[in-house]
Amino acid sequence: MRRHIHHAIAIIATLTTLTGGLLASTGTPAEAATAGPAATRYADDFNGDGYHDLAIGAPDASVNVKGTDGATTSVYAAGYVTVSYGGKYGAQKTGLKVITQNSPGIPGDAKASRQFGAVLTNGDFNGDGYADLAVGTRDDQVTLIWGSATGLKGATAMADPQKRPGYGVVLKSGDFTGDGRTDLVVGYSTSLWLFRGPFKADGSPLSTKKIELGRDYPVFGPQDAQNRIAVGRINKGAIDDLVVLGERSNFGMGDAMRGRVLLGGTSGPRFTPVTIRGGGSVAIADFDKDGYGDIAVGDSAIQNDTDRAAGLVRINFGSVNGVDDSRGVQTFNEDSDGIPGGVEAGDYFGNSVAAADLNQDGNPELIIGALGERKSTCEHCYISGGGFYVLKGTAKGVTGIGASWYAHNAPGLPTPAGTYRIPTLLKVTDLNNDKQPEITFAVAATVPQVWSVGTKDGKVAGTSPTRVVNPPTDAQIGNGLLFGVLAR
């Protein structure tokens, strides 16, 4: 075990809470369209060109608004979203367009601390063959921005039929009823609701229904809530399921409430008695290829022995009922066999988790973020650091043997000016359709960035180019630190 460091980095912990850490898969097939063009293959293909696209939120950025007198006012943390469209060369790096609530065709207006773009998810909500984007704020608003042959264009405000606080604190898309339509799970401060698709032009769903969780679902903030829910297929069905992790006590550092496994059905996600140990991030993937989705939970705030916020990851094996308790739980930390390094306070191992088959052997790999790993031993200082691990998937599940570590300064990765931390969120998407997924994440820096790191034959960083997506250059917006909320 390496020398212990007992001082967590407050700035980084804050950025982790704000920018998230939850799996985003390589793309769920979009639902069949009833009219218009043939349905896109992907639920994140906003312009229907056959490539995944990358929606990015910058909720704390200021927006410059011109008044009737011609004077321009900077509106603090009004927020914006943008899209890096996928293509032959991967993520679009230049020419990104800004969408704010001051943009033509976008309902509402830019207001201070509204944080437009605080929550994002995508799917073909109106069934026209183009993926759409659902955008949440910090003040009870949800906007549906419609896809088209030219990308995101036009929008509508989605009314809140419940009139409850926290509307839109969670937005998750999927086919939870098995009817081939995209539904939307919408979170409030203490509950989750199913908004059933398809959605009309005015943003209204086919119907709404409360999702039974067996208890209230308290939340701290949009990204924190969003990271504790995953969509996937667990019980071999053709319907999407939900995993909902519990909240942490003691301001995010105490024990986590147990999570709930909800299986999809004709009426939507249904309550089951199946629970799992909680945490702050979650991913669903069939690691052992037995046909059942397994559940990986990252608990980066947990204390290992005397090391606070050292972190660990647990994997529950899926079954027809949700979880196969007879197989136990796989647990990984930085002292596990084959994993480079060792347990250390403040590493935040598991602050973000994702899964994808990087080496094309049929078994998904598990990608684990460690935001505080390999930091300097200096106290009360903010320096560059962080990185992520790649653990191999096998017929018996994930193994630490042969695991790889990629630090913030690994060969082939960019080196931004000043200090920076990776990864504040992990998403895996094949943006150039070469069958070699890119690992995409937000970079916490003086000028924040989003990196799309190429992979080849299961290797990362240096084997394939990294595409750096910078905030758009646009007179409409000012600077912010949270460029990198990713739709998933």
Side-chain angles (χ1 to χ4, degrees):
M1 185 182 295
R2 298 196 307 272
R3 178 181 177 184
H4 301 322
I5 300 175
H6 298 284
H7 297 274
I9 300 176
I11 294 177
I12 293 302
T14 300
L15 285 171
T16 304
T17 300
L18 289 169
T19 56
L22 173 70
L23 164 75
S25 71
T26 54
T28 303
E31 293 69 31
T34 57
T40 177
R41 289 181 293 165
Y42 307 124
D44 53 1
D45 181 5
F46 302 115
N47 58 3
D49 65 354
Y51 289 95
H52 294 281
D53 301 320
L54 190 65
I56 303 171
D60 75 330
S62 60
V63 173
N64 300 320
V65 177
K66 184 175 289 188
T68 55
D69 59 356
T72 298
T73 301
S74 178
V75 181
Y76 171 77
Y80 71 88
V81 298
T82 188
V83 177
S84 171
Y85 289 94
K88 180 180 178 180
Y89 301 105
Q92 175 189 1
K93 297 193 299 182
T94 60
L96 277 66
K97 304 299 183 183
V98 168
I99 301 174
T100 77
Q101 286 193 292
N102 203 41
S103 298
I106 305 299
D109 53 6
K111 288 189 175 181
S113 300
R114 173 164 285 172
Q115 297 202 2
F116 183 72
V119 183
L120 303 176
T121 196
N122 40 235
D124 185 6
F125 299 117
N126 59 2
D128 68 351
Y130 296 104
D132 311 306
L133 183 67
V135 184
T137 69
R138 291 191 67 95
D139 64 349
D140 303 349
Q141 292 191 15
V142 176
T143 302
L144 297 179
I145 308 179
W146 306 114
S148 73
T150 56
L152 293 181
K153 182 180 179 180
T156 187
M158 191 171 75
D160 173 14
Q162 305 304 320
K163 308 298 182 184
R164 295 170 180 263
Y167 175 55
V169 72
V170 169
L171 296 171
K172 292 290 182 182
S173 63
D175 180 9
F176 302 106
T177 62
D179 63 357
R181 306 289 188 173
T182 300
D183 308 310
L184 190 61
V185 169
V186 179
Y188 293 80
S189 295
T190 58
S191 62
L192 297 177
W193 286 70
L194 176 69
F195 284 46
R196 188 166 180 171
F199 290 73
K200 297 179 182 179
D202 64 359
S204 59
L206 183 65
S207 62
T208 63
K209 176 184 178 182
K210 185 176 182 180
I211 299 173
E212 179 56 51
L213 295 170
R215 52 172 163 73
D216 284 346
Y217 179 68
V219 297
F220 283 149
Q223 285 77 42
D224 172 71
Q226 188 83 341
N227 297 338
R228 291 188 283 107
I229 299 183
V231 178
R233 295 183 178 178
I234 297 172
N235 62 345
K236 284 189 177 181
I239 304 175
D240 286 325
D241 308 310
L242 277 179
V243 174
V244 182
L245 301 184
E247 183 59 275
R248 302 200 73 86
S249 60
N250 193 23
F251 299 99
M253 298 300 292
D255 292 335
M257 295 169 58
R258 293 190 69 85
R260 180 73 63 180
V261 177
L262 306 173
L263 300 179
T266 55
S267 297
R270 65 183 188 277
F271 177 86
T272 76
V274 179
T275 63
I276 57 175
R277 290 283 297 275
S281 61
V282 58
I284 301 172
D286 185 4
F287 295 111
D288 57 1
K289 299 305 290 182
D290 66 351
Y292 297 106
D294 308 311
I295 305 166
V297 175
D299 193 354
S300 64
I302 199 168
Q303 180 169 316
N304 289 341
D305 295 327
T306 60
D307 297 314
R308 295 189 65 183
L312 59 76
V313 174
R314 305 181 185 92
I315 299 178
N316 297 265
F317 292 100
S319 75
V320 66
N321 296 316
V323 170
D324 187 350
D325 290 327
S326 68
R327 298 184 63 183
V329 178
Q330 281 188 298
T331 301
F332 297 96
N333 61 31
E334 290 174 298
D335 279 345
S336 298
D337 290 344
I339 295 182
V343 167
E344 188 174 72
D347 278 350
Y348 295 100
F349 179 81
N351 75 279
S352 179
V353 291
D357 185 5
L358 301 182
N359 60 9
Q360 303 300 301
D361 68 351
N363 295 97
E365 276 66 57
L366 176 63
I367 303 114
I368 301 174
L371 189 66
E373 175 60 273
R374 305 292 166 89
K375 61 180 180 290
S376 168
T377 56
C378 67
E379 298 181 359
H380 307 298
C381 62
Y382 175 64
I383 50 85
S384 298
F388 57 93
Y389 294 89
V390 176
L391 278 60
K392 293 182 178 179
T394 74
K396 295 183 179 180
V398 175
T399 179
I401 304 302
S404 300
W405 159 253
Y406 299 95
H408 71 287
N409 57 354
L413 290 183
T415 53
T419 58
Y420 61 100
R421 286 268 164 180
I422 70 169
T424 56
L425 181 138
L426 287 168
K427 176 185 174 80
V428 186
T429 311
D430 183 8
L431 290 164
N432 60 1
N433 283 355
D434 68 351
K435 310 298 184 184
Q436 302 281 337
E438 289 83 51
I439 300 175
T440 302
F441 49 82
V443 179
T446 304
V447 178
Q449 300 174 328
V450 171
W451 294 357
S452 177
V453 181
T455 69
K456 186 175 182 180
D457 300 327
K459 301 297 182 181
V460 182
T463 60
S464 189
T466 293
R467 306 277 289 183
V468 176
V469 181
N470 290 300
T473 301
D474 194 304
Q476 295 184 73
I477 57 172
N479 294 328
L481 292 176
L482 301 183
F483 179 76
V485 174
L486 303 180
R488 52 210 187 268

